[in-house]
Every structure is written in C-alpha cells, then in structure tokens.
C-alpha cells in the first residue's frame, strides 16, 4: 500500500480444533459493533479475521490500542492503515472543488470516506489472500451501500459479510455480549449516539435526535463550542487558494491536511460548523442527523466566494447543477462510477483560475466571508461603480433590453388570450 502507514499485530490466541475456513478482512473501528463482530465472525464463519482500521483522521482515536484490543479478542491479525493524506488529496479536495453538500447542507464526511476505506480493505484482502470482506453497517443506512458498491467495483469476486445485518442484535444485547466476553470498549457504555468521525466532519444520529422536533442536547456536539459560550471577539482568518486547493492560512503555507485540522480547531472553538438536518437516505428513510464540520464549512464558504470572483457567470451557474449531481453521486455510494470521474474532470477544469485569498470572520457560530481577492478576478471596478469613474456605457443598455425582452413582448402580442 503505497503512501500508507501500516501497523500490525498478530494474535497468539488459538482457534481450537477446527481449521479456519479462509480469511475475512473486517472493517474495524474499535467501536462496539465491529469489536463484537471479530468474535462473531470467528464463531459463525470459522474464518481467520484480519481486523483492519483505516485511519481517515478520527480525532483522538487510539489506533494502537484498538489494534491490540482486536488481537486480544481473537483477530488473527490487526492492521491499521493511515490514509489521511490520500483522503484529503483524492477525496476531500475534489469535494471542495465541487462545493459538495448533500441536499445543500451535509458536507459528506462519512459518505466520502467509505469508498476510500473500501479501496484499502480490498488491498488488505488481496495482501492476505482473503476471500471475504466484512463490515458492521446496519441494513437501514447508506454506508452498507457505499461499502458494498465500492467493493463490487474494485474486487467483483470478493464476498461480502454484513455482520450487523446478519446478526441483528439490539444495542443492549451487543453491550452484554461484549461484557460477557470481556471486551474492553473505549466508548462510554450507554452512549445514546451513533457517531462517525473523520477529518472532514463528525456525524451523529440516534438517541434523542430520533425526535426531529427536539433541539439536539448539548452533549451531542463534541467538536464545537456552544455558540452562546464561544469567544466574545471575532477571529479573522485569511485562507489562500491555488487552483481551488487551500494552500495557506494567514499567509503561512501549509499542507491541506494541516489546514483542515487547524480550521476544525479554530472553527470549533467559535462554534462554527453545526448542521442540524432531516435528510433523505438512499434506502428511502428520512433521518434526523447532526453534523459538526467546522473546516468544511469555512473552506467551502471561502472557496465559493473565490469562485464568485473568478468564474464567469456561465461557468458558475452551470457548475452549480453539476455540484449537486457530484454530491449525490458521493452520497449514493457511486464514487467509482465513471460519471464521478467525469464530473471531477469538469470541476478541475473550472479551478484553473480559482487562485487568491479569502478573508473570513468567525464569530459565535457563524462564518462570514468579509473579503476576497484574486489575480484572476473578473470584478471590474470601472464597470461596477456608481461614481464618476464609471466606464460602463449606459446607452448600450437600451438596445440590449429591447432585444432581451423581444421574445416576451412577441409572445404577448401574438397570443391573444395570455
Ligand atoms: N447520514 C450520514 C451519511 O449517510 C452519516 C452516516 C453515519 N452516521 C453515523 N452517525 N454513524 O453519510
């Protein structure tokens, strides 16, 4: 696996008498569902389990600890693969270029990580000669679709085991099973939420969020300060872009991964990036979910502002429609569909002029663009101004309007009843 860091541990625990019936690579997170899945897979399928943690920038995740734990529970091997930079370069940057937000709100952190995780699981499976890949997604969500469609695309012969879908146990029972089998879980027992995190954002559902008429309790938010308790003074940041890619903060050049981490911290401190929405899942269910995505919120706003300045009206308006399509392709698990690739090529072409800096103001939950500049700016002060430096020929407007309105006028003149 080029460019990825891999940590491995091999278990010493035995399998009893039965010879394992092959190898299965499990998408393992260290959380409840995938922890119990290790033992369940071993017991149910009698296979060697390769527990695989794909690190997409889950903050505070103790990867080594999870790797060790997987070995203790009985994984034949535990593997951790750091794909943060690949996630940023190949997934987050294309999404940023497309200002991708599902249904105009959700910046797609979870959705975009799934195809990359699938890609790495396939690589690990091939390395270990595995015939099966397992994931712990339920049968009600989008993630099962994203994993399985991606795996189908990348390794059509791979068999897939959906542990939670096959072994439908209520959360309480799952906790009991974990306890009875001495599995140490880092998550607080009874955590009412289902959480997924990576560099691009945090997704939270379940618990009292299941009633969309209620305000989400404060404990559902972890990355962002309550805007009411955020600092009383605004903070300004200047973000530099080159061809649509963020390259600096306040004039200091840094890799995009670091920019995202920094903006998650600074934005989070100012309560920026809380999203509360009812969304339409691919499987036909409406769900109420909250997201925290400070960096995504700031970067997409800043990027859009720079596009407003540097793209022509036609580029900008046409792009908006394709942005929505791109967001849907990502949400629907179709990252590896050739259309996604074609849309990315379109987005890339539009980014050639998107270079410059954008100033944003973070203040008590809001992020506001307060300045933008670019060497490729299409803003012409002479054309825009209402003062004496005006260079616009007002007289041309008369003929323009006559022709622009002509079809409307003709339609009214020729159709008597309208
Ligand atoms: N609804 C989001 C999506 O489909 C997030 C799913 C995962 N959320 C979670 N809380 N576990 O992309």
């Amino acid at each position: 696996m080029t460019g990825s860091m891999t940590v491995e541990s091999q278990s010493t625990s035995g399998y009893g008498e039965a010879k394992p019936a092959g190898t299965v690579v499990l998408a393992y997170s260290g959380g409840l569902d995938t922890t119990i899945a290790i033992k369940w897979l071993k017991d149910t399928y009698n296979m060697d389990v390769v527990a695989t943690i794909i690190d997409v920038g889950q903050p505070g995740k103790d990867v080594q600890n999870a790797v060790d734990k997987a070995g203790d529970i009985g994984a034949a091997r535990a593997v951790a693969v750091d794909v943060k930079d690949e996630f940023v370069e190949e997934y987050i940057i294309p999404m940023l270029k497309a200002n991708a937000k599902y249904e105009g709100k959700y910046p797609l952190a979870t959705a975009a990580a799934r195809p990359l995780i699938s890609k790495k699981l396939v690589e690990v499976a091939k390395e270990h000669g595995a015939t099966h890949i397992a994931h712990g997604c339920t049968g009600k969500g989008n993630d099962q679709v994203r994993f399985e469609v991606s795996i189908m695309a990348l390794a059509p012969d791979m068999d897939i085991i959906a542990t939670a879908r096959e072994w439908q146990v209520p959360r309480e029972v799952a906790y009991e099973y974990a306890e009875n089998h001495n599995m140490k879980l880092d998550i607080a027992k009874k955590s009412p939420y289902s959480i997924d995190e990576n560099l691009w954002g945090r997704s939270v559902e379940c618990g009292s969020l299941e009633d969309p008429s209620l305000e989400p309790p404060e404990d559902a938010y972890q990355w962002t300060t309550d805007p009411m308790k955020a600092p009383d003074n605004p903070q300004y940041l200047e973000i530099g872009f080159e061809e649509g890619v963020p390259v600096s903060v306040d004039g200091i050049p840094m890799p995009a991964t670091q920019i995202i981490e920094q903006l998650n911290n600074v934005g989070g401190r100012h309560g920026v990036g809380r999203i509360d929405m009812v969304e339409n899942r691919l499987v036909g269910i409406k769900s109420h979910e909250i997201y925290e995505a400070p960096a995504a919120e700031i970067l997409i706003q800043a990027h859009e502002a720079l596009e407003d300045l540097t793209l022509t009206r036609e580029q900008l308006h046409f792009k908006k429609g394709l942005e929505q399509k791109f967001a849907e392709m990502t949400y629907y698990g179709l990252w590896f569909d050739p259309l996604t690739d074609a849309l990315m090529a379109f987005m890339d072409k539009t980014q050639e002029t998107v270079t410059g800096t954008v100033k944003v103001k973070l203040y008590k939950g809001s992020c506001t663009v307060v300045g933008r500049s670019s060497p490729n700016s299409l803003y012409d002060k002479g054309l825009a101004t209402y003062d004496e430096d005006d260079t616009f020929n007002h007289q041309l407007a008369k003929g323009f309007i006559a022709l622009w309105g002509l079809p409307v006028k003709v339609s009214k003149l020729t159709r008597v009843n309208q």
Side-chain angles (χ1 to χ4, degrees):
M1 270 164 289
T2 39
S4 333
M5 182 202 74
T6 307
V7 187
E8 288 211 22
S9 97
Q10 188 138 22
S11 161
T12 45
S13 53
Y15 273 88
E17 308 82 56
K19 197 169 164 293
T23 301
V24 54
V25 167
L26 169 69
Y28 170 64
S29 70
L32 172 68
D33 294 321
T34 58
T35 301
I36 60 171
I38 296 175
K39 185 167 166 44
W40 182 82
L41 275 171
K42 214 176 117 175
D43 293 349
T44 313
Y45 282 84
N46 181 35
M47 294 180 100
D48 268 344
V49 180
V50 180
T52 306
I53 294 198
I54 311 293
D55 183 0
V56 278
Q58 307 87 317
K61 256 254 143 60
D62 187 345
V63 172
Q64 190 55 54
N65 192 23
V67 163
D68 295 343
K69 195 175 70 181
D72 295 343
I73 296 162
R77 263 168 192 280
V79 182
V81 193
D82 179 347
V83 297
K84 288 198 281 291
D85 290 333
E86 187 173 347
F87 185 41
V88 171
E89 279 150 34
E90 309 284 328
Y91 295 78
I92 293 179
I93 298 289
M95 287 204 297
L96 177 58
K97 287 177 175 174
N99 302 314
K101 287 185 178 179
Y102 182 63
E103 295 184 334
K105 299 190 188 81
Y106 161 44
L108 294 155
T110 300
R114 299 321 191 187
L116 174 58
I117 295 172
S118 305
K119 187 173 158 208
K120 295 295 148 184
L121 293 173
V122 166
E123 286 176 14
V124 172
K126 289 190 172 160
E127 251 170 63
H128 289 82
T131 48
H132 291 64
I133 291 179
H135 66 73
C137 307
T138 71
K140 297 175 74 163
N142 298 311
D143 288 325
Q144 53 173 346
V145 183
R146 298 170 184 146
F147 275 126
E148 295 185 29
V149 171
S150 301
I151 295 165
M152 273 163 70
L154 301 173
D157 294 332
M158 199 63 73
D159 284 316
I160 295 167
I161 304 172
T163 59
R165 211 166 57 199
E166 284 181 34
W167 183 39
Q168 272 190 44
V169 279
R171 243 177 136 61
E172 282 301 312
V173 180
Y175 275 121
E176 237 168 68
Y177 180 89
E179 225 158 62
N180 293 344
H181 293 90
N182 257 336
M183 301 177 190
K184 286 176 230 92
L185 295 162
D186 336 326
I187 36 177
K189 197 182 158 144
K190 307 281 183 276
S191 161
Y193 307 114
S194 160
I195 297 158
D196 181 66
E197 293 179 310
N198 63 49
L199 269 176
W200 203 229
R202 179 170 183 270
S203 309
V204 192
E205 57 189 5
C206 302
S208 66
L209 300 176
E210 285 180 359
D211 184 344
S213 71
L214 301 177
E215 181 175 0
E218 204 40 44
D219 72 352
Y221 296 103
Q222 292 295 323
W223 286 18
T224 53
T225 311
D226 178 349
M228 284 197 301
K229 297 187 182 129
D232 289 328
N233 293 318
Q235 182 162 350
Y236 292 87
L237 293 173
E238 219 167 67
I239 300 160
F241 287 87
E242 256 168 46
E243 300 196 5
V245 179
V247 291
S248 65
V249 176
D250 291 336
I252 303 163
M254 51 181 104
T257 308
Q258 203 180 321
I259 294 181
I260 293 166
E261 283 166 348
Q262 179 169 334
L263 295 181
N264 274 333
N265 283 331
V266 181
R269 208 180 318 130
H270 287 274
V272 169
R274 290 187 171 193
I275 299 151
D276 177 331
M277 74 185 282
V278 169
E279 74 192 40
N280 290 287
R281 281 190 200 159
L282 185 52
V283 293
I285 301 169
K286 278 193 191 291
S287 75
H288 179 223
E289 186 138 7
I290 60 161
Y291 299 100
E292 294 179 283
E297 203 57 37
I298 296 168
L299 286 172
I300 294 174
Q301 267 207 49
H303 179 256
E304 282 182 320
L306 197 55
E307 288 191 327
D308 289 344
L309 198 64
T310 57
L311 299 189
T312 65
R313 179 183 63 199
E314 296 312 308
Q315 279 181 303
L316 203 61
H317 290 189
F318 192 73
K319 185 170 181 282
K320 287 285 166 235
L322 295 192
E323 287 177 355
Q324 192 187 329
K325 185 68 193 170
F326 184 89
E328 285 171 7
M329 296 298 286
T330 308
Y331 190 86
Y332 295 163
L334 300 176
W335 188 269
F336 294 116
D337 187 291
L339 177 61
T340 306
D341 228 30
L343 290 171
M344 278 188 211
F346 169 83
M347 301 297 168
D348 276 342
K349 183 70 188 162
T350 63
Q351 298 304 292
E352 286 173 354
T353 57
V354 187
T355 294
T357 52
V358 179
K359 192 168 167 189
V360 296
K361 177 179 173 181
L362 312 181
Y363 180 62
K364 292 197 182 286
S366 73
C367 167
T368 318
V369 171
V370 291
R372 63 291 266 165
S373 64
S374 166
N376 305 322
S377 173
L378 299 174
Y379 183 87
D380 183 326
K381 177 110 191 295
L383 291 176
T385 187
Y386 283 93
D387 67 23
E388 63 210 32
D389 303 330
D390 189 0
T391 58
F392 184 75
N393 183 345
H394 292 230
Q395 299 320 311
L396 292 178
K398 195 175 172 197
F400 168 74
I401 296 164
L403 298 186
W404 179 249
L406 190 59
V408 189
K409 184 171 152 188
V410 169
S411 76
K412 294 296 172 199
L413 285 173
T414 53
R415 293 183 198 152
V416 191
N417 294 328
Q418 281 187 42

